[in-house]
Amino acid sequence: GISQLPVTDSILNESRSYHTSRTEHLLTSLSELCDIMKEKLLTTSLDEVRRRDHVEEVREEQKEADKMIIQLQQELMETKKQLSKEIEQRENIKKCVVSEIRTVDKLAKETQRRIEDDTTKHEGQNQQNYDNKKIKLREEISILKKSLQETVLANRETEQQLRKKAFKRETEAENWIQKYDHDLGEQQDELEQLDEEFTEEKKQLKEVEERLEVLTIEYDTVVKEQEEARKKAEEANQRMNDMIRAATVIQAFWKSYKVRKTLKKEQQKGKKGKKGKKGKGGKKGGKKKK
């Protein structure tokens, strides 16, 4: 049967030339069927069983993959729901926080305005002292800045000189390296010395910067002390006002007490005078009757 298949192919190929276009489809299907039959005849029963087993394994894997896809889709939907809930909660929290921040900002602005009003009312001699200290600190800072700039410029010039010297020495070393190998050690020592000088100048620059930082810290402490002095002055003024009020109340009470006392004394004197006059008049009347 297998040996006769090429003959059928040749017959079919010859018959195609004699048929019309309507039968071409039938001929192509027959050729495909012949190919399938060839494959089936060429394959053994073991190959067929293996192929079927492979197809079954592929189907089972496909089923498991479909199950996993469905499970993953469900998990994805659940995670999407949870994320949407968390996003809503975060949005609500964000709105609450924004409203609280706005209220706090309003309160802070109001308190700042009140504090500014109070400070403008109670500023005096302390402000002058503060201004003087501020001017002195600014002058010191300007002097330190100038010295820092000068040191930086000097360091830059020295750095440029050192770089020029190093470049010259490198070029000389490259040109005369074969003749003057023994001079390289001396030049290296000079370079190390210059490097040490440069590092020393860097240290000095760092010290100047640290001193500037210390001055800025002292300036901040002076500002804080001034603020504390202002607060103490405000408290002292408040206490003085309370004492003045209390003194005025005590003076008024004392004056009223004195007035009452004087009135009582005058009333008592008036009563005594009236009693004395009545006693004298009674005695004179008795003598006349006798």
Side-chain angles (χ1 to χ4, degrees):
I2 294 166
S3 62
Q4 289 178 359
L5 285 171
V7 177
T8 57
D9 289 334
S10 63
I11 291 163
L12 287 168
N13 289 322
E14 288 177 359
S15 63
R16 280 180 185 175
S17 62
Y18 294 106
H19 287 82
T20 60
S21 61
R22 292 180 181 178
T23 59
E24 285 181 357
H25 182 68
L26 180 62
L27 292 171
T28 53
S29 62
L30 286 170
S31 65
E32 289 175 358
L33 183 62
C34 288
D35 293 330
I36 291 163
M37 290 297 292
K38 280 182 186 179
E39 288 179 359
K40 283 186 177 181
L41 290 169
L42 289 169
T43 55
T44 61
S45 60
L46 291 169
D47 293 330
E48 189 69 27
V49 170
R50 286 175 184 171
R51 187 178 289 174
R52 286 177 185 174
D53 293 333
H54 182 67
V55 169
E56 289 294 328
E57 288 177 357
V58 170
R59 285 178 183 174
E60 288 178 356
E61 288 177 357
Q62 186 68 31
K63 287 179 182 178
E64 290 178 356
D66 292 332
K67 288 179 182 178
M68 288 291 289
I69 287 162
I70 292 162
Q71 189 177 358
L72 289 169
Q73 285 177 354
Q74 290 176 357
E75 290 178 357
L76 182 63
M77 292 294 288
E78 289 177 357
T79 52
K80 280 183 179 178
K81 288 178 181 178
Q82 289 178 359
L83 284 170
S84 63
K85 287 180 182 179
E86 288 179 358
I87 288 161
E88 288 178 358
Q89 290 177 358
R90 287 180 181 177
E91 287 292 330
N92 293 323
I93 292 164
K94 188 178 178 181
K95 288 178 182 178
C96 293
V97 169
V98 168
S99 64
E100 289 177 358
I101 287 165
R102 285 177 181 172
T103 53
V104 168
D105 193 8
K106 287 180 182 178
L107 291 170
K109 285 180 181 178
E110 288 178 358
T111 53
Q112 188 177 2
R113 185 175 56 77
R114 289 175 184 174
I115 289 163
E116 286 177 356
D117 293 333
D118 293 332
T119 52
T120 52
K121 287 178 183 178
H122 297 287
E123 281 180 354
Q125 292 180 355
N126 292 324
Q127 185 65 34
Q128 289 179 358
N129 294 324
Y130 171 72
D131 290 332
N132 291 324
K133 286 180 181 178
K134 193 174 180 181
I135 289 161
K136 287 179 182 178
L137 288 169
R138 281 181 178 173
E139 287 176 355
E140 288 179 358
I141 287 163
S142 64
I143 290 162
L144 287 170
K145 281 183 178 178
K146 285 179 181 178
S147 64
L148 180 65
Q149 288 177 358
E150 288 175 356
T151 52
V152 168
L153 291 169
N155 287 323
R156 282 180 183 173
E157 288 176 357
T158 53
E159 187 178 358
Q160 287 177 359
Q161 289 176 1
L162 289 169
R163 283 181 180 176
K164 287 178 181 178
K165 287 179 181 179
F167 181 73
K168 286 179 181 178
R169 283 173 184 152
E170 284 176 0
T171 52
E172 287 175 357
E174 286 177 358
N175 292 323
W176 302 96
I177 195 164
Q178 292 179 357
K179 289 183 179 180
Y180 302 101
D181 290 333
H182 61 279
D183 293 334
L184 288 173
E186 293 178 357
Q187 289 179 359
Q188 188 67 32
D189 293 332
E190 288 178 1
L191 285 170
E192 287 176 358
Q193 188 176 359
L194 290 168
D195 194 6
E196 287 176 358
E197 290 176 358
F198 181 68
T199 52
E200 187 66 27
E201 288 176 356
K202 276 188 177 178
K203 286 180 182 178
Q204 290 176 2
L205 181 63
K206 192 174 181 181
E207 288 176 357
V208 171
E209 289 177 352
E210 288 176 355
R211 189 177 175 190
L212 182 62
E213 288 178 358
V214 169
L215 285 170
T216 53
I217 291 162
E218 289 178 356
Y219 177 74
D220 293 332
T221 53
V222 168
V223 171
K224 287 180 182 177
E225 288 175 357
Q226 189 66 31
E227 187 67 23
E228 289 176 357
R230 185 184 61 75
K231 287 181 180 178
K232 287 180 180 178
E234 288 178 359
E235 290 177 357
N237 287 323
Q238 188 67 33
R239 288 177 184 172
M240 184 62 72
N241 290 324
D242 294 334
M243 290 171 73
I244 289 163
R245 287 177 187 171
T248 52
V249 171
I250 290 163
Q251 285 177 358
F253 182 76
W254 179 252
K255 286 178 182 178
S256 63
Y257 175 73
K258 274 188 170 184
V259 169
R260 284 182 207 150
K261 196 172 181 181
T262 53
L263 287 170
K264 281 181 181 180
K265 285 181 180 179
E266 287 176 358
Q267 287 176 1
Q268 286 176 2
K269 285 179 181 179
K271 285 179 182 180
K272 285 180 180 179
K274 285 178 181 180
K275 285 179 181 179
K277 286 177 182 180
K278 283 181 181 180
K280 288 177 182 179
K283 285 179 182 180
K284 286 177 181 181
K287 285 180 181 179
K288 283 177 181 179
K289 282 179 183 181
K290 284 180 181 180

